[in-house]
Amino acid sequence: MTMTAQSDSAPGTVLVIDDDETNRYILTSWLTRAGHTVLGAADGSAGLALLEEAGRSLPEVAVIDVQLPDMSGFEVCERIKADPRTAFLPVVHVSAVAVNAEDHTEGLSRGADAYLDQPIDPNEFLATVTAALRYTRARRRAEHLTLRLAALNRATLDVYRAVGFADFCAAATGGAASLMSGPATAIFLSPDGRPVHSHAAGPDAEPVTLPARAELLDRLASPALGGSTGTEAVTVSRERWRTLLPLDPIDDDVVVVVTRTKRDRPPVCVAVPAAAARTSDERDLLQQLVNACALALEALRTFNEEHALALALQRTFLPDRLPDTPSTTLAVRYRPASDHAEIGGDFYEALQTPAGLLLAIGDVAGHSLVAATVMGEIRHALRAYALEGHPPHHVLERLDALLSHTRPGLTVTLCLVLVEPDGGRVHIANAGHIPPLLLGPEGGAVYLADHGPLLGLRLPHPPAHVHPVAPGARLLLITDGLVEVRNQDLDHSLTAFLDAAVSGPRELEDLCDFLLGSFGEGKEDDIALLALHLDGAG
């Protein structure tokens, strides 16, 4: 017989409701000699009152006489089964009077789990009680396991959709506490290499994250896994646990589950009180959760590594300095996408050409390493075509042909602004990009909304539009990451940006900081802002 079967058949607490004192004594004697604990009642009301008073320590079986002085045993059974708190309780009817087939049928159809006629054989009676115990314990174990599986599912979803390491810590530790219905502790190595001790005092408690000693992970993982991969559960005594983590809220023997998904990667350790993970089912569930945590953390770590690499690559594609010109002042702000978003293809350029100072700002469609790579290709080709002396719209045509040939199906927005050497006019050639904003020296502002098609569509590009500009004017070129707001019309955002630029600081660097602070917080896209002040010295 398995350990579970032995446990299911072990003696329990039995409620006996019988108005005949002799019958109640005999049934109680048989049950007591078999190791059961007995609660006795002489009528239905007293028996139901005992169930009400029992609180959480409810009996596991009820033996109820059919003929009672205040109500029938059938009615008592129905009231037990109708109460969600006691609906699980198996009912065994006994009777010396209601012994025909119709009585049996009525009793069983009204909720009883067994029906015995008196006189009762003691062995048959005890075997029936044991069978009822096995049934109720197996059912309650299955219900408990179902609840645990639902908690495991919720916790697994939470760790996989966590954004950033702080969210992951809270999801993993809180998930373990909810799954095991008690305190939980987790020890991780963060993606940036910091040992972290996270703990939750209970299922409803807010997880707390603290720094941990550098050697703690190795001391926990070495006895279980050594340097290999896999998932293992080990029991650690209270004394050793207090030595390892003296401030941890678990003050008991613990079960520590250790998981490592890849060699040479740090393990993930999660601990719960040993009393919460006694059975193999409970340990299996905890191991599944910890394994999911390890996989989620590995994915987060890999993403951070790839994001850092892509960000470094993205920065190499951008100018390392701005040109120094006698008649203009330049300022630039570039902010890559957040740590949790893929990198994009925003770029800018400023260079001296034979025809004057050329400014460019653009955006490659999409957010990926491919977008950043295309951004580098476009920027380098732009420099080459511009330095050959081509006018802005010819530069756009050549870039369009290059993009259509090398990256078919990909589109790019790009705005070119050529400032004549004396600073008196600007030439605008815009391939589907947000128009530049011209701030007049006296305070007025207007978007220079001269548009042509996006790059990559193989459509003709119109000649650049020429606009006179006064000394002291400022020109702002931006990408949509600065002004675009989800579920808000872009025209509304552009109007708000114009108003802010007009009312903002006059000095160029201060204006850039002001606009970035006003519009750039909490954005998930790259942001580029290129600003020009026409000094009029030319």
Side-chain angles (χ1 to χ4, degrees), residues 158-516:
D158 287 343
V159 296
Y160 277 127
R161 66 187 173 199
V163 178
F165 183 65
D167 285 349
F168 167 80
C169 279
T173 312
S178 296
L179 177 65
M180 307 311 292
S181 303
T185 291
I187 300 94
F188 315 105
L189 195 68
S190 69
D192 58 0
R194 293 178 293 108
V196 169
H197 167 210
S198 177
H199 61 80
D204 300 320
E206 190 72 22
V208 177
T209 301
L210 303 169
R213 298 196 306 274
E215 74 279 3
L216 181 59
L217 268 173
D218 286 339
R219 293 180 66 181
L220 287 170
S222 293
L225 288 178
S228 63
T229 61
T231 303
E232 293 291 340
V234 295
T235 301
V236 177
S237 68
R238 175 187 178 278
E239 291 72 22
R240 175 165 169 73
W241 186 246
R242 303 311 297 172
T243 301
L244 292 169
L245 284 168
L247 300 180
D248 194 72
I250 303 178
D251 190 20
D252 204 343
D253 294 348
V254 298
V255 169
V256 182
V257 175
V258 184
T259 296
R260 183 185 285 113
T261 57
K262 294 182 180 179
R263 287 187 177 276
D264 303 321
R265 286 294 206 182
V268 168
C269 300
V270 175
V272 298
R278 288 195 186 96
T279 69
S280 59
D281 285 343
E282 290 168 336
R283 292 197 178 201
D284 285 345
L285 289 173
L286 182 59
Q287 286 179 321
Q288 289 182 54
L289 175 60
V290 180
N291 194 53
C293 291
L295 292 171
L297 182 55
E298 184 60 32
L300 185 62
R301 183 175 284 112
T302 300
F303 174 82
N304 283 10
E305 292 171 353
E306 292 177 352
H307 190 272
L309 179 61
L311 195 59
L313 177 63
Q314 185 182 26
R315 289 186 182 281
T316 65
F317 293 152
L318 298 172
D320 56 356
R321 63 183 182 276
L322 297 175
D324 185 13
T325 60
S327 59
T328 59
T329 302
L330 292 173
V332 68
R333 296 293 184 274
Y334 187 86
R335 179 181 291 177
S338 73
D339 291 341
H340 314 310
E342 291 188 277
I343 65 168
D346 289 17
F347 65 98
Y348 66 91
E349 183 58 272
L351 69 155
Q352 286 285 5
T353 72
L357 175 65
L358 183 69
L359 305 180
I361 194 159
D363 187 1
V364 180
H367 294 82
S368 65
L369 186 57
V370 171
T373 304
V374 172
M375 175 261 281
E377 295 170 355
I378 292 294
R379 176 177 166 261
H380 289 306
L382 165 68
R383 291 177 65 89
Y385 294 144
L387 291 174
E388 286 179 355
H390 298 290
H393 72 287
H394 286 174
V395 173
L396 293 181
E397 289 173 348
R398 284 162 170 76
L399 291 174
D400 182 71
L402 174 67
L403 184 66
S404 300
H405 178 71
T406 59
R407 303 282 183 171
L410 200 64
T411 58
V412 174
T413 67
L414 177 61
C415 181
L416 299 181
V417 177
L418 177 65
V419 184
E420 293 185 356
D422 64 357
R425 297 194 306 173
V426 294
H427 301 239
I428 308 293
N430 193 341
H433 197 77
I434 290 177
L437 178 62
L438 179 63
L439 301 173
E442 303 303 325
V446 62
Y447 285 107
L448 304 180
D450 307 313
H451 268 281
L454 280 67
L455 300 182
L457 301 181
R458 295 310 304 264
L459 296 173
H461 291 267
H465 291 75
V466 181
H467 299 270
V469 288
R474 293 164 295 168
L475 198 65
L476 302 178
L477 287 77
I478 62 173
T479 56
D480 58 7
L482 183 59
V483 292
E484 202 167 46
V485 178
R486 186 175 299 175
N487 300 324
Q488 185 178 104
D489 186 82
L490 182 59
D491 289 340
H492 177 78
S493 300
L494 289 175
T495 300
F497 182 79
L498 183 150
D499 293 340
V502 169
S503 62
R506 295 282 304 174
E507 202 278 324
L508 208 58
E509 294 287 346
D510 292 341
L511 177 61
C512 289
D513 290 337
F514 169 73
L515 293 174
L516 196 64

Side-chain angles (χ1 to χ4, degrees), residues 137-172:
R137 288 167 177 171
R139 176 181 172 183
R140 297 190 73 178
R141 191 169 61 251
E143 291 173 347
H144 184 63
L145 181 59
T146 299
L147 293 175
R148 287 281 177 94
L149 286 170
L152 173 63
N153 184 53
R154 290 192 300 270
T156 301
L157 289 175
D158 287 343
V159 296
Y160 277 127
R161 66 187 173 199
V163 178
F165 183 65
D167 285 349
F168 167 80
C169 279

